[in-house]
């Protein structure tokens, strides 16, 4: 047993932190919010140079061939600086799904380019209620009509993995690798979290070659479940980074800000609140490590472990980000100070990939607190 | 990073499980966990259990073999605590001896003290209590007033201790007394190992909110100790007491694992209780609440392991123990409160009239002690804020 980062993880963490600091740290999301989107291209190039785009890409496709636990420290660091961009979607969704379900053809076509930083992925899984996305197979192509909403970073990603209805029943879901940059209509929507740009992506008679099907036709639900598990673990890890940062910010600020002739951090109403934040962070970190460990080791309780991390961490992130604003007084309410970046990121992640309540329903299901179990118990 | 046990750790676990199956009191594993209610019977029962553990080589897991310990690793010690919690093993009567006094003596005691006391702590021959708190010195322990004065070659001790757990069953007391009145208040304190069975020591039981007599007032009227009974040096007792606190690790592990067990029982309770003919566990709101508790108990367990990993790597216990203590005592209290809520209008029934099992009412009431004993939650928060986050200290006088 060993529950802390190993040398390699520590190295990834330190390298990421140094790199992000050299690029301006919180100035990165700030610049992005102000429309200087080239910062993202630069950042991506730098990450690829460090080898961070190919950590979990197998060696024969130009990567390092490690697992999810090795990207965990990088994700935390990105959360610490509210980094924009579809890094989790690319490394914790597209890469593992290509590794596991991709054809040899697809692996050769995409993985080396992902590892070199050339190709970025996002995903489109939520249907527009009024315009559900459907795909009809006609000859060698799927013909797509309909729209997906809340697609993150459609402007920056080169490709997206799209969940489409390919049959009559609700279960007939398939995953397609789609080059949306061709001529899908990407309409940005405004979100309070301006570090994650969201789009409505509409397709009309949009052709996707049959060979872009990821996994079997109509097996999309299962594949999606595996992929979303890993992606959810990844986003939970970024929340740990965010919480780590707000605890730091609060501790630093209340040590130096003086009122009534003393640092406000001496008042227990403030001091103890920072401790509560720290305790929440400790819990979140533990659940995140465990979830990532189950993902990498394909443990039997992966689904539950991930739901524990996501439900706890998203609520704890909001709580600590709230407290961080309060601890900074009027300063915390300003646009200029960084407190709000974390609050907004926390809110935009709260219900992304499942609300805390839904994840707790998963925990209940996985724990067997359902009818059958109880009937058995009573017998 | 690895959340699984190694082969040798698994072997250790199996060996312990087998031993427990063979040696726990008759019927214990089937839920007949009856401990005599009266003080004398309870004391004998628990002493017997402690002796059995020690004879089987299952006491002092990480203590050196030469003093009767098992010489096992810290991880194995944790596995041990986990298994003991799993079977709800009888409580360790000599908890203060095994969790604090023993490790402290092994750490900074004289060779003579180690020889004289450590083995007897492990086999339950001598039960220990901790004489720290006084009527006017609780959280502010350093303001303690009990005095020890040297007369000839003896130390004469006068004063009063309070909240001393198990003093009435104890053979010896790890006691802090003032030996110097000048200078800063924490500089004039000395730690003594005091024999309880002597004319100068009198204990009076205090009834607690769960209707038990587990803690006491201890009156010291010319109680006597020798030079050889001093731990560390004269006037160095504050440092010694901090050493003792740093050995809280085992106690915290115990609490963390007890929480896991408590959670499982909470689920069973929700499966057993019904509302309108349906088991409570089917209620979506109950499920949501249980899911929150599940995530939190798991989180505390993994945090405990993470902190343990740190102290194994650095070779010394860190201030994270305060976080573990704080979080697990608060969560334990929360879960027991929820167990009360689940029991509906009959939730206050207790003892032989309890709705399900009187231990819910008893443990619920007991849980109020969790956040007070061993340093209150507020004091733990101060420690965490100051030592881990580097926030300014309270103004003290
Ligand atoms: C079940 C149980 C078993 C115990 N066993 C033992 C034992 O075996 N040996 C022993 O020596 N003692 C024992 N104690 C005593 C225990 O250590 C003390 O009760 C505890 O340290 C608190 O001291 P106090 O009771 O004097 O409360 P006080 O210190 O008077 O505290 C009263 C309240 O004020 C708060 N407070 C005090 N100072 C501060 C501060 N600086 N900042 C913020 N809040 C503050 C406290 O948190 C508390 O809420 C036991 C207590 C319990 C409940």
């Amino acid at each position: 047993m060993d529950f802390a980062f190993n040398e390699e993880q520590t190295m990834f963490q330190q390298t990421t932190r140094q790199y992000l600091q050299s690029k301006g740290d919180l100035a990165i999301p700030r610049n992005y919010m102000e429309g200087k989107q080239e910062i993202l291209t630069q950042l991506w190039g730098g990450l690829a140079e460090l080898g961070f785009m190919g950590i979990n890409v197998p060696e024969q496709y130009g990567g390092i061939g490690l697992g999810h636990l090795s990207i965990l420290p990088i994700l935390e660091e990105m959360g610490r600086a509210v980094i924009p961009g579809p890094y989790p979607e690319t490394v914790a969704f597209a890469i593992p799904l290509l590794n596991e379900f991709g054809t040899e053809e697809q692996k050769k076509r995409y993985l080396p380019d992902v590892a070199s930083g050339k190709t970025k992925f996002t995903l489109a899984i939520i249907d527009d209620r009024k315009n559900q996305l459907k795909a009809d197979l006609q000859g060698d192509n799927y013909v797509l009509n309909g729209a997906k909403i809340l697609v993150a970073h459609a402007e920056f990603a080169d490709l997206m993995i799209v969940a489409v209805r390919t049959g009559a029943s609700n279960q007939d879901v398939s995953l397609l690798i789609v080059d949306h940059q061709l001529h899908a209509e990407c309409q940005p929507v405004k979100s309070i979290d301006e570090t994650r740009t969201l789009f409505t992506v509409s397709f009309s008679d949009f052709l996707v070659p049959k060979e872009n099907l990821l996994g079997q036709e109509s097996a999309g639900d299962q594949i999606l479940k595996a992929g979303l598990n890993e992606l959810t673990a990844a986003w939970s890890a970024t929340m740990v980074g965010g919480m780590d940062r707000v605890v730091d910010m609060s501790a630093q600020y209340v040590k130096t800000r003086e009122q009534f002739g003393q640092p406000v951090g001496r008042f227990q109403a403030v001091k103890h609140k920072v401790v509560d934040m720290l305790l929440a962070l400790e819990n979140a970190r533990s659940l995140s490590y465990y979830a990532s460990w189950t993902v990498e080791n394909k443990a039997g309780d992966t689904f539950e472990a991930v739901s524990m991390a996501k439900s706890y961490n998203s609520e704890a992130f909001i709580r600590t980000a709230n407290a961080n604003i309060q601890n900074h007084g009027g300063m915390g309410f300003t646009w200029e100070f960084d407190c709000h970046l974390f609050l907004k990121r926390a809110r935009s992640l709260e219900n992304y990939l499942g609300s805390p309540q839904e994840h707790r329903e998963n925990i209940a299901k996985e724990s067997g607190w359902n009818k059958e179990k109880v009937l058995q118990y009573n017998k | 990073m690895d959340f699984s046990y190694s082969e040798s750790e698994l072997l250790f676990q199996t060996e312990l499980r087998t031993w427990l199956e063979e040696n726990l009191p008759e019927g214990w594993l089937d839920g007949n966990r009856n401990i005599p209610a009266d003080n004398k019977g309870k004391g004998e029962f628990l002493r017997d259990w402690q002796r059995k553990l020690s004879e089987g080589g299952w006491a002092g897991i990480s203590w050196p073999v030469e003093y009767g310990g098992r010489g096992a690793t810290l991880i194995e010690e944790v596995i041990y605590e986990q298994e003991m919690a799993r079977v709800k093993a009888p409580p360790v009567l000599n908890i203060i001896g095994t969790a604090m006094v023993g490790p402290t003596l092994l750490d900074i005691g004289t060779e003579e003290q180690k020889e004289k006391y450590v083995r007897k702590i492990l086999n339950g021959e001598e039960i220990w209590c901790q004489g720290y708190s006084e009527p006017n010195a609780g959280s502010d322990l350093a303001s303690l007033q009990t005095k020890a004065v040297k007369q000839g070659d003896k130390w004469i001790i006068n004063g009063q201790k309070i909240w001393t757990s198990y003093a009435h069953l104890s053979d010896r007391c790890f006691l802090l007394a003032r030996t110097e009145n000048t200078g800063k208040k924490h500089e004039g304190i000395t730690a003594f190992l005091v024999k309880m069975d002597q004319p100068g020591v009198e204990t009076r039981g205090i009834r607690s909110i769960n209707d038990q007599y587990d803690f006491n007032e201890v009156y010291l009227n010319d109680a006597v100790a020798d030079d050889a009974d001093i731990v560390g040096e004269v006037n160095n007792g504050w440092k010694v007491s901090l050493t003792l606190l740093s050995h809280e690790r085992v106690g915290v592990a115990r609490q963390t694992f007890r929480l896991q067990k408590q959670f499982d029982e909470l689920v069973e309770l929700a499966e057993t209780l019904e509302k309108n003919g349906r088991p409570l566990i089917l209620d979506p709101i109950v499920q949501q609440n249980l899911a929150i508790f599940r995530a939190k108990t798991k989180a505390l367990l993994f945090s405990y392991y993470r902190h343990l990993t740190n102290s194994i790597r650095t070779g010394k216990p860190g201030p994270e123990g305060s976080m573990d203590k704080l979080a697990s005592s608060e969560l334990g209290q929360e879960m027991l409160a929820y167990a009360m809520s689940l029991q509906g209008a009959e939730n206050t029934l207790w003892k032989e009239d309890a709705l399900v099992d009187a231990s819910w009412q008893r443990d619920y009431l007991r849980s109020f002690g969790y956040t007070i004993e061993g340093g209150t939650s507020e004091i733990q928060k101060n420690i965490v804020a100051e030592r881990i986050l580097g926030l300014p200290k309270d103004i003290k006088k």
Side-chain angles (χ1 to χ4, degrees), chain B residues 151 217 371:
Chain B
Q151 285 180 11
E217 294 176 291
T371 52

Side-chain angles (χ1 to χ4, degrees), chain A residues 4 29 48 65 71 77-79 85 93 131 147 156 174 196 208-209 237 259 269 275 313 323 333 356 369 373:
Chain A
I71 51 176
E77 289 306 310
M78 291 197 161
F93 187 76
N131 188 17
F156 181 67
S174 305
R196 284 188 84 232
V208 178
Q259 283 296 284
V275 172
N313 293 16
F333 189 65
W369 304 334
K373 166 90 188 293

Side-chain angles (χ1 to χ4, degrees), chain A residues 169-337:
Chain A
S169 115
N170 267 341
Q171 269 80 56
D172 289 324
V173 174
S174 305
L175 298 185
L176 297 176
I177 300 168
V178 173
D179 184 352
H180 63 286
Q181 299 287 7
L182 285 177
H183 58 272
E185 188 201 330
C186 298
Q187 180 67 39
V189 291
K190 293 195 178 71
S191 160
I192 60 169
D193 177 12
E194 293 177 320
T195 67
R196 284 188 84 232
T197 332
L198 301 175
F199 293 82
T200 300
V201 182
S202 313
F203 302 89
S204 77
D205 290 335
F206 186 100
L207 299 187
V208 178
K210 210 174 138 186
E211 65 260 27
N212 283 17
L213 178 70
L214 183 61
Q216 303 290 314
E217 192 176 272
S218 295
D221 267 348
Q222 277 311 308
I223 304 174
L224 204 55
K225 190 174 167 184
L228 290 181
N229 239 343
E230 184 151 354
L231 181 61
T232 305
W235 275 112
S236 303
T238 69
M239 296 176 193
V240 174
M243 292 174 71
D244 191 67
R245 188 61 174 270
V246 293
V247 171
D248 259 12
M249 284 170 75
S250 274
Q252 286 312 319
Y253 188 76
V254 306
K255 262 184 247 184
T256 45
R257 169 70 181 167
E258 294 200 357
Q259 283 296 284
F260 302 97
Q262 52 195 307
V264 294
R266 184 167 275 144
F267 304 123
Q268 289 186 357
V270 174
K271 187 177 187 171
H272 289 185
K273 198 152 60 185
V274 185
V275 172
D276 290 337
M277 293 167 70
L278 176 66
L279 293 185
L281 164 64
E282 286 292 306
N283 282 342
R285 194 185 295 277
S286 293
L287 291 174
S288 160
Y289 283 11
Y290 185 64
S292 292
W293 183 83
T294 62
V295 166
E296 171 149 335
N297 291 283
K298 301 199 180 336
D301 57 343
T302 308
F303 191 51
E304 191 201 10
V306 170
S307 280
M308 288 200 286
K310 179 62 166 65
S311 59
Y312 184 86
N313 293 16
S314 36
E315 288 182 345
F317 190 13
I318 292 173
R319 214 163 53 233
T320 49
N322 287 355
N324 190 42
I325 292 181
Q326 183 70 17
N327 289 337
H328 282 77
M331 197 70 97
F333 189 65
T334 62
W335 189 273
E336 181 162 355
F337 225 73

Side-chain angles (χ1 to χ4, degrees), chain A residues 268, chain B residues 130 132-133 138-139 163 165 215 372-373 376 378 382 394:
Chain A
Q268 289 186 357
Chain B
Q130 179 188 14
Y132 279 26
S133 307
S139 300
W163 320 126
S165 299
F215 58 19
I372 300 171
E373 62 200 318
T376 67
E378 289 74 19
N382 278 356
D394 285 9

Side-chain angles (χ1 to χ4, degrees), chain B residues 180-204:
Chain B
E180 181 70 62
N181 242 331
T182 55
K184 289 190 187 145
K185 64 184 179 182
H186 58 267
E187 282 169 1
I189 295 172
T190 303
F192 290 92
L193 307 173
V194 176
K195 197 163 174 275
M196 293 295 281
D197 184 16
Q198 59 165 304
V201 177
E202 186 201 339
T203 70
R204 283 184 215 156

